[in-house]
Amino acid sequence: MATRRDFLKCLAGLGVGTLLSWNVMLPKAAISKSLRTEEWTDNQNTKLSFVVVSDIHIGRLNAINHFSALLEDNFNSKPDAMVVVGDLGDGVPWDYRLLSNELYRHKLEINYPIYWTIGNHEFYGSFYRNGYWSPRTFPNEETDDQAINRFLTFAKRDKVYGDTWIKDYHFIFLGTEKSRMSDRRYMDSAYLSDAQLDWLENTLKIDRTPNKPVFVFLHQPIPYAALGGFQRGYVLQWQRLNDILARHPEVILFNGHTHYKIDYNTMDSEANYAIVNSSSLAYPIDRNRRHIFKSAPGLVVEVYAEKVVIKGREFLKPDWIEGAEITVSENTNSHKIV
C-alpha cells in the first residue's frame, strides 16, 4: 500500500506540491510516475499540449544552441504553445537582439504561440556599463521602468502580468514589478503589487470550472522543501500569493529560477495545488549546484479529459528524461496514489 512518504517521493523532482505547514489540504490529485523513452508523437487523445522552459539565458555559452535544439524538437512535435518562464537573458538590448535573431532564423518552424514571463535577470542590465559587467557602478543609470519596458516591447505585452486562453484552457502569467534597483533588499525576489494580486484573485474566478486545470507561471518560486531542507522563497508577497492559489486546487504553478535538474530527488513538498520546477534550458545544476554539461531540459505538458501529464524532456538528444513524469488527476472525492 502506498504511504505518505511514497507520495512525497513521487512529488519530488518536478516540484509538484508546495508549502509545508500552512494548514492546507493535500492536493486533490492522483500522482504516478513512469519511465518513457519513446519519441514524442502527436497523441490524438490530448486536448492540449504545450512546452515549458525557463532560464534560457540566451547570452551564455552554448545557450543559443540549446534554444535552437528546443525549437527544432518543437517543430517535430507540434505543441499548441510554448511558455518561457523568465530569465531570457540579462535584460540588455543585445540579449533581446540575439533572441529575436534566433526566433527569426526559425520563423518557418514556429507555428505555435510563445509566451514569456519576466525573471530577475531581465533587470540585470543595471549591472552593465557600456556593455561590460560593472557591478561596482550599479545601477549604471538603469531603472526598473527601463528594464520592464524592454521586456514588454520584446514580449509584445502591456504589463508584466496577464492571461490568455489556449484551446479553452486558462493560462495566467505573473511577474515581478520591481527589482533591487527600487530597493536593494529585494535582491532577486519577485515583487507582486496589490494590484497584481487583486487581479490574480479575480482572474482565477473567470469561467472557473471545477477540476479543470488552470496553468499559472511565475519565474521565482515561493518557499517549499528542497534538497532535504527548506528551499528559500523568492517572492516577497508569497503569503498572500499562496493564500490565493490554495483556494484553487485546480492550479498548476510553473516556476523557474532554481536551475535544479528535473528528477525525483531534488524537491520534497506538499500543498493544495501543484508546483512544477522547470529547471534551466541553458544551465541546469545538480543537487550540489554543479553545472550539468550538454543538457537542455524542459517540460512537455499534455492535457487529457481527466488528467494532466507532465514529462521531463532533454532537448539536446532529444529524448525523455528517465523517471521525470507525473500525472495530476483531479478528483473531488479522494486523493490516492495510482
Side-chain angles (χ1 to χ4, degrees), residues 48-242:
L48 170 71
S49 67
F50 60 96
V51 172
V52 179
V53 295
S54 69
D55 298 83
I56 63 177
H57 293 288
I58 200 67
R60 292 199 181 190
L61 182 66
N62 295 322
I64 289 180
N65 293 335
H66 289 196
F67 190 66
S68 178
L70 162 70
L71 296 179
E72 290 170 5
D73 189 52
N74 286 352
F75 177 67
N76 294 325
S77 304
K78 299 176 175 57
D80 294 306
M82 181 171 79
V83 182
V84 180
V85 194
D87 280 6
L88 287 57
D90 273 346
V92 294
W94 173 248
D95 282 342
Y96 288 118
R97 285 196 293 269
L98 279 176
L99 192 50
S100 295
N101 289 343
E102 195 62 18
L103 292 169
Y104 182 80
R105 193 168 73 87
H106 290 271
K107 65 177 183 178
L108 297 180
E109 302 170 18
I110 302 173
N111 56 1
Y112 49 87
I114 302 177
Y115 301 94
W116 315 86
T117 66
I118 195 167
N120 59 295
H121 272 262
E122 272 61 74
F123 296 86
Y124 269 38
S126 57
F127 290 112
Y128 287 83
R129 183 177 185 180
N130 298 324
Y132 294 95
W133 182 253
S134 182
R136 292 182 62 185
T137 53
F138 173 91
N140 293 297
E141 300 182 358
E142 275 280 297
T143 67
D144 281 339
D145 285 344
Q146 288 173 319
I148 289 173
N149 286 336
R150 285 194 200 102
F151 168 79
L152 294 178
T153 298
F154 171 81
K156 297 180 173 59
R157 301 251 297 278
D158 59 358
K159 290 182 180 178
V160 295
Y161 56 94
D163 70 324
T164 192
W165 294 79
I166 305 174
K167 287 193 169 181
D168 202 33
Y169 286 89
H170 204 176
F171 284 61
I172 298 175
F173 311 102
L174 306 177
T176 184
E177 298 166 77
K178 294 182 181 180
S179 76
R180 71 184 78 199
M181 285 185 278
S182 292
D183 188 326
R184 297 204 182 198
R185 293 173 298 179
Y186 294 168
M187 299 297 287
D188 287 324
S189 296
Y191 178 96
L192 308 181
S193 67
D194 287 340
Q196 180 172 177
L197 291 170
D198 289 345
W199 172 87
L200 173 63
E201 195 165 14
N202 293 327
T203 299
L204 281 167
K205 299 174 183 176
I206 297 174
D207 293 335
R208 184 184 181 190
T209 301
N211 305 322
K212 185 176 182 179
V214 174
F215 304 105
V216 181
F217 305 86
L218 173 63
H219 176 69
Q220 290 96 331
I222 58 179
Y224 53 87
L227 303 178
F230 285 102
Q231 168 64 49
R232 175 185 171 187
Y234 291 91
V235 181
L236 295 170
Q237 298 81 10
W238 65 264
Q239 293 100 329
R240 187 180 174 200
L241 175 61
N242 177 68

Side-chain angles (χ1 to χ4, degrees), residues 242-284:
N242 177 68
D243 288 344
I244 293 170
L245 296 180
R247 297 196 292 270
H248 295 268
E250 69 273 15
V251 161
I252 300 178
L253 172 65
F254 293 90
N255 292 137
H257 193 64
T258 68
H259 288 229
Y260 289 136
K261 67 178 182 178
I262 297 170
D263 67 20
Y264 277 88
N265 301 304
T266 53
M267 297 181 185
D268 188 356
S269 53
E270 61 183 81
N272 195 40
Y273 57 98
I275 293 181
V276 184
N277 168 50
S278 57
S279 187
S280 167
L281 187 75
Y283 198 86

Side-chain angles (χ1 to χ4, degrees), residues 2-57:
T3 66
R4 175 181 172 83
R5 185 64 188 170
D6 293 330
F7 169 63
L8 293 176
K9 286 182 178 179
C10 286
L11 295 180
L14 287 176
V16 173
T18 182
L19 313 175
L20 283 177
S21 59
W22 295 294
N23 296 320
V24 292
M25 297 173 60
L26 284 172
K28 297 174 181 177
I31 307 294
S32 67
K33 66 177 181 177
S34 64
L35 304 181
R36 283 195 176 185
T37 56
E38 74 270 16
E39 291 299 317
W40 182 17
T41 57
D42 185 19
N43 190 325
Q44 297 300 317
N45 293 322
T46 58
K47 291 179 170 292
L48 170 71
S49 67
F50 60 96
V51 172
V52 179
V53 295
S54 69
D55 298 83
I56 63 177
H57 293 288

